[in-house]
Amino acid sequence: MLGVHTLPWEYGIRNLLRRPLRTGLTLLALTIVVVLVLAIIGFVRGIDRSLSTSGDPTVALVISLGMGENLEYSSIPHRTSELLAASLSGIRAPYGQKAVSPELYLGTQVTIAESAASFGLVRGVIPAVLLVRDRVQIDSGNWPGPGEVLVGRLAATKLSARAEDLAIGREVTFESRTWRISGVFSSFGATMESEIWCRLDDLQQALKRQDLSLAALKLNSPQDMASVELFCKERLDLELQVFSEPEYFAGLQRDYQPIRFLAWLIAALIAVAGVFSGLNAMYGSVVGRIRELAMLQTIGYLRRAILVSLLHEGLLLGAAAGLIASLFAIVFLSGTAIRFTMGAVELNIDRATVLIGCSVGLVVGLLGAIPPAVRALRVAVAVALKSI
C-alpha cells in the first residue's frame, strides 16, 4: 500500500536544488554558525592543550610561601638554587651538571620599534634552563649574549605585533633598556612560547633586584618530589613551597574555568541563533509548498513519511554546513594564534572539535526543520489544496 511507503531519498535533494538561491543563503548562514562554534571550541581546546603540554611531572617549581600560582609576585633568595642543588640528590645531572634553573619572571610593558607598548612576559634565565625545560629548542639564532633576548614563536601574538617585528636582529624595549633579538625558540605548544627570555644577570640589573621568582628543578622521577617538599619544610628561614608543573598548570586550569564556561555558553548561544536562522529559511521553503505537501497526502503518502522527508532536507543542509565549516576551520583557523592573558594560544581544530562542529550543524539543521514541517502538515488537506 502506498501509504506505508517513504518518500524517495532523492526527493529532498531535488527540493533543495529547485530553490538554489534560498538553499545557498540558508547553507551560508548555517556554515557561518558552525564556523563560529568551531572557532570558540578550538579556543577552549587550545587552552587545554597549551596547559597540558606545559606540565612535566618531573619538574619541580620552588617559589615563595603563600604565593599560590602567582610567579610574578614570588620572591626567593638568590642562593636558593645553589642550596637546592647542594642539598638534594634526586636532581637529574646530565653532562655532570645538576638541572637547576634559577629564574626571574615578570610581566612588563614591551615596546617594539615605534609601536605602542604592550604587556609582555619576560623570563630571566641561565643556560641551565635548557636542562630543565628539555622540550625547548632554539629554532633560529643563538643563545642571548649581554643585552640580547630570545623570543618565543608566539611572542609576537602576545605583543600584538607582526612576526617580522620580532625577527633576529630587531630590537625591543622593556624596563628602560633596549634589547637585541638573538634568536627564536619553541616548546611544542607550551605556554612559555609567548615569553621573552634574557640573561638572568641582565634582567636583575635592569630591575635592580638580586632575588629570584622561582627555582625550577628537573628530578630523576616524580617520586623525588617528596625530598624537595621536605627541604622546603625544614628550611623555614627561606619560606619556600614547591609545586610539580602539572599541579601548577592544574591550578591555572581551575582559574580559567569561568572563561571556559563563558566560551561554551557563547557557543551555545550562537547555535541557538543558528536554529532560528534555520527556522526562518525552512518556514519560507515549506510555506511555499503547502499545496505540494497536501497533494502528496492525497496520493497516499503518510504525514509521517512527508515529515521525515522535510527533516531529511534540514539534515542535508546541516551536514553540508558542518562539512564546509570544518574544512574551512582546518585550512584557515587551525593553528591561528590568539592573544590571551596567559600569553597566546593557538586554535586547536582537532578531531573532537570537528566532530562537535559537525554535530552542531546536524542538530541546528534538524531543529530548524521540525517546527515549519509540523505546522505545514497540520493544515487540513482540503484547505491546503485550495491555497495559492
Side-chain angles (χ1 to χ4, degrees):
M1 184 178 178
L2 192 58
V4 300
H5 292 168
T6 58
L7 284 164
W9 176 265
E10 295 82 2
Y11 176 75
I13 299 176
R14 289 178 179 176
N15 277 321
L16 293 176
L17 297 178
R18 282 166 54 192
R19 301 169 177 83
L21 180 59
R22 183 186 297 276
T23 299
L25 292 176
T26 304
L27 181 61
L28 177 62
L30 295 180
T31 301
I32 292 174
V33 168
V34 179
V35 166
L36 292 176
V37 171
L38 285 171
I40 294 173
I41 297 174
F43 172 69
V44 174
R45 299 282 294 175
I47 293 176
D48 292 340
R49 184 181 67 174
S50 180
L51 293 178
S52 61
T53 302
S54 302
D56 182 346
T58 62
V59 172
L61 305 178
V62 178
I63 65 175
S64 58
L65 190 63
M67 287 297 103
E69 290 87 25
N70 297 317
L71 298 183
E72 300 94 327
Y73 304 111
S74 173
S75 176
I76 62 177
H78 185 84
R79 61 192 178 97
T80 302
S81 59
E82 298 174 357
L83 291 174
L84 289 166
S87 304
L88 301 175
S89 59
I91 300 176
R92 191 173 298 181
Y95 315 110
Q97 181 181 357
K98 286 202 170 184
V100 179
S101 172
E103 299 175 7
L104 187 56
Y105 182 80
L106 77 152
T108 186
Q109 295 296 318
V110 179
T111 303
I112 304 172
E114 303 299 327
S115 304
S118 299
F119 185 79
L121 302 172
V122 179
R123 190 184 298 261
V125 296
I126 64 174
V129 68
L130 299 178
L131 301 178
V132 180
R133 323 284 188 174
D134 53 9
R135 293 174 63 86
V136 171
Q137 56 187 20
I138 300 177
D139 297 332
S140 58
N142 303 295
W143 183 259
E148 295 182 333
V149 295
L150 274 176
V151 296
R153 69 181 186 90
L154 297 181
T157 301
K158 174 60 179 174
L159 297 172
S160 301
R162 299 173 300 174
E164 53 267 29
D165 292 334
L166 293 181
I168 296 174
R170 302 296 292 270
E171 294 181 341
V172 296
T173 302
F174 58 87
E175 296 301 326
S176 302
R177 287 194 179 188
T178 299
W179 311 73
R180 178 184 175 276
I181 297 174
S182 67
V184 178
F185 72 90
S186 62
S187 184
F188 296 92
T191 57
M192 62 182 62
E193 289 187 339
S194 58
E195 297 176 358
I196 297 174
W197 286 10
C198 63
R199 291 163 56 106
L200 176 61
D201 54 351
D202 281 355
L203 188 57
Q204 287 178 324
Q205 292 174 12
L207 296 174
K208 296 180 173 59
R209 290 175 55 176
Q210 294 300 317
D211 60 333
L212 303 173
S213 298
L214 70 148
L217 319 174
K218 182 74 170 180
L219 305 177
N220 291 319
S221 70
Q223 288 70 31
D224 292 317
M225 190 71 64
S227 62
V228 185
E229 293 175 349
L230 181 60
F231 175 87
C232 294
K233 291 177 181 178
E234 288 180 341
R235 292 302 303 263
L236 299 179
D237 57 315
L238 299 176
E239 297 184 342
L240 304 175
Q241 63 178 339
V242 61
F243 294 101
S244 68
E245 268 197 341
E247 289 175 337
Y248 170 73
F249 287 107
L252 289 183
Q253 284 185 323
R254 289 191 297 269
D255 293 340
Y256 289 124
Q257 194 64 35
I259 297 176
R260 203 180 282 108
F261 172 78
L262 181 61
W264 283 107
L265 178 61
I266 293 174
L269 292 175
I270 292 174
V272 171
V275 170
F276 283 105
S277 174
L279 276 172
N280 183 53
M282 291 301 292
Y283 263 117
S285 175
V286 173
V287 167
R289 296 160 51 196
I290 288 181
R291 292 183 66 184
E292 175 188 333
L293 300 179
M295 182 59 69
L296 290 174
Q297 296 178 65
T298 302
I299 63 178
Y301 283 102
L302 297 176
R303 290 189 176 186
R304 180 177 59 192
I306 299 172
L307 175 63
V308 170
S309 180
L310 293 175
L311 297 183
H312 171 220
E313 295 179 26
L315 285 173
L316 281 175
L317 283 174
L323 291 175
I324 295 173
S326 297
L327 181 62
F328 178 88
I330 291 172
V331 174
F332 296 103
L333 296 184
S334 184
T336 302
I338 296 178
R339 186 180 181 185
F340 193 49
T341 54
M342 69 180 187
V345 296
E346 293 180 317
L347 297 185
N348 183 19
I349 310 297
D350 56 6
R351 294 179 181 178
T353 305
V354 170
L355 179 60
I356 294 174
C358 291
S359 300
V360 168
L362 290 172
V363 171
V364 168
L366 180 63
L367 295 180
I370 290 176
V374 172
R375 182 175 181 273
L377 293 176
R378 281 181 176 177
V379 180
V381 174
V383 176
L385 288 173
K386 295 178 182 179
S387 63
I388 299 177

